[in-house]
Amino acid sequence: MSIGQAFLGLLESQPRHGYDLKRAYDERFGSDRPLAYGQVYSTLSRLLKHGLVTVDGVEPGEGPDRKRYAITPAGVADVEQWLQQPEKPEPYLQNTLYTKVVLALLTGRPAAELLDTQRAEHLRLMRELTRRKTGGDLADQLICDHALFHLEADLRWLELTAARLTELAGKVRG
Amino acid sequence: MMLSAVELTKSFGSTQALSGASMSIAAGEIVAVMGPSGSGKSTLLHCLAGIIRPDAGQVLYRDQELSAMSDGQRSALRRGEFGFVFQFGQLVPELTCLENVALPLRLDGHRRKDAQRRAAEWLDRLEITDVAGKRPGEVSGGQGQRVAVARALVTGARVVFADEPTGALDSLNGERVMRLFTDAARTSGAAVVLVTHEARVAAYADREIVVRDGKALDLARHA
Ligand SMILES: Nc1ncnc2c1ncn2[C@@H]1O[C@H](COP(=O)(O)OP(=O)(O)O)[C@@H](O)[C@H]1O
Ligand SMILES: [Mg+2]
């Protein structure tokens, strides 16, 4: 999962200082692994270099946290593109998918569409694996089945999340 | 498109089961109809098959509107062109499996010997020749569903309507039924409307339609 894109999504909802950004990230997505400050500032300087964020205010004083960052139109376009693009279906996607859903809600984008697009992508791969399985030997069948069960679990999660979007939107925006 | 539903609505009392559902299926195509329980999947299937009449909207089969047909024409269509597979085989318990598969041909006026010969070929295709002489009560759930698939296809049906055909089976038997069912349908060129809430079952189809709150969404198309 890309920290850069998560930062951009958080900045799109409002400009923030570095420490504020780290706190927002840790609260929403960090779970058991908070970001290191070094990671925060190296990510921000990369985003600055690519013109995806800009410094929209500097407070007097010392230390790296005097700067307040805002997203640029190129940054918004980057978030937009990332959210629209389905992830390549693979195991253990939940973290990325969850982040995408939360950021879509936070930035007022259609989260239901994002889930539907991902669902279609998952089923496309499931059909492909099923074709490979029915034409293959037992080893192929078992390997394909393993992937199919994981994809099915993802799909159930996508359905459950779609059914709870309103509730989640309330939490995220509240 | 061979079979289409256009803007179907259907209510049962105060429950709106369909609220503007549209979908279509081409000849020989296998389409999964997915969606949460109570979303209107079975109602959509029943309307498409002419079993129930929608309150509004049209069902077109080969450019003919189902609701404009007489009851006689509609049931002739169901017997001649459509086949059905439900969650629990719905086989006739007093008949043997072979006789169950031969039954639609007998009802169509085929001679007993001819009907049984063709039925036996279908049991063979579905890898269940050994259940021919048994009654439905004596075979496993998976074998019973394969008998139901044979019965649906034996008349040369152009569309098979299957409502949760593996819903009562474990995964291994469900997979076997789906493999044999979709192989047999593809070989005989029948289209299949496959209602299921299971993604691994839907993955045997060519594409999927999702029903949500009585509306049908073709996700692959708008993605
Ligand atoms: N014959 C009926 N009488 C009353 N309500 C019905 C009838 N058939 C379906 N319904 C209702 O219509 C809605 C859709 O049902 P159905 O098409 O069976 O959904 P699904 O097959 O997706 O589970 C549900 O709320 C269901 O309770
Ligand atoms: Mg149903």
Side-chain angles (χ1 to χ4, degrees), chain B residues 13-57:
Chain B
S14 61
T15 307
Q16 184 150 26
L18 296 178
S19 50
S22 302
M23 66 169 278
S24 46
I25 178 165
E29 195 180 24
I30 302 181
V31 175
V33 176
M34 305 186 68
S37 154
S39 57
K41 303 183 294 296
S42 295
T43 306
L44 177 58
L45 179 138
H46 293 150
C47 288
L48 279 169
I51 296 173
I52 61 173
R53 202 188 277 262
D55 300 334

Side-chain angles (χ1 to χ4, degrees), chain B residues 41-42 163-164 195:
Chain B
K41 303 183 294 296
S42 295
D163 197 346
E164 306 279 3
V195 166

Side-chain angles (χ1 to χ4, degrees), chain B residues 115-188:
Chain B
Q116 296 209 342
R117 183 184 49 76
R118 279 169 64 184
E121 285 168 19
W122 276 97
L123 290 182
D124 186 33
R125 280 213 215 175
L126 290 155
E127 303 174 3
I128 39 171
T129 45
D130 48 326
V131 305
K134 294 186 178 166
R135 290 181 208 289
E138 302 166 331
V139 306
S140 73
Q143 289 169 332
Q145 288 305 78
R146 281 142 76 180
V147 174
V149 168
R151 184 191 53 185
L153 287 164
V154 73
T155 56
R158 296 296 77 205
V159 189
V160 176
F161 297 92
D163 197 346
E164 306 279 3
T166 61
L169 306 178
D170 61 49
S171 343
L172 193 59
N173 279 297
E175 298 268 339
R176 189 173 295 155
V177 166
M178 284 315 300
R179 182 173 58 76
L180 291 162
F181 180 11
T182 49
D183 274 0
R186 290 204 163 94
T187 307
S188 61

Side-chain angles (χ1 to χ4, degrees), chain A residues 112-113 116-117 119-121 123-124 126-128 130-131 133-134 145 148-149 151-152 155-156 159 162, chain B residues 34-35 171 175 179 183 197-208 210 212 217 219-220 222-223:
Chain A
E113 274 175 34
D116 280 347
T117 308
R119 179 202 167 86
E121 186 68 10
L123 258 168
R124 203 184 51 71
M126 288 183 77
R127 278 196 294 273
E128 198 179 302
T130 301
R131 271 197 298 276
K133 176 171 89 166
T134 48
D145 270 332
L148 280 164
F149 278 111
L151 290 165
E152 186 185 37
L155 253 172
R156 284 195 185 169
E159 273 162 19
Chain B
M34 305 186 68
S171 343
E175 298 268 339
R179 182 173 58 76
D183 274 0
H197 65 280
E198 286 181 272
R200 273 178 312 114
V201 173
Y204 281 86
D206 301 319
R207 66 185 168 96
E208 80 276 5
V210 179
R212 240 175 244 153
L217 310 170
L219 295 183
H222 85 60

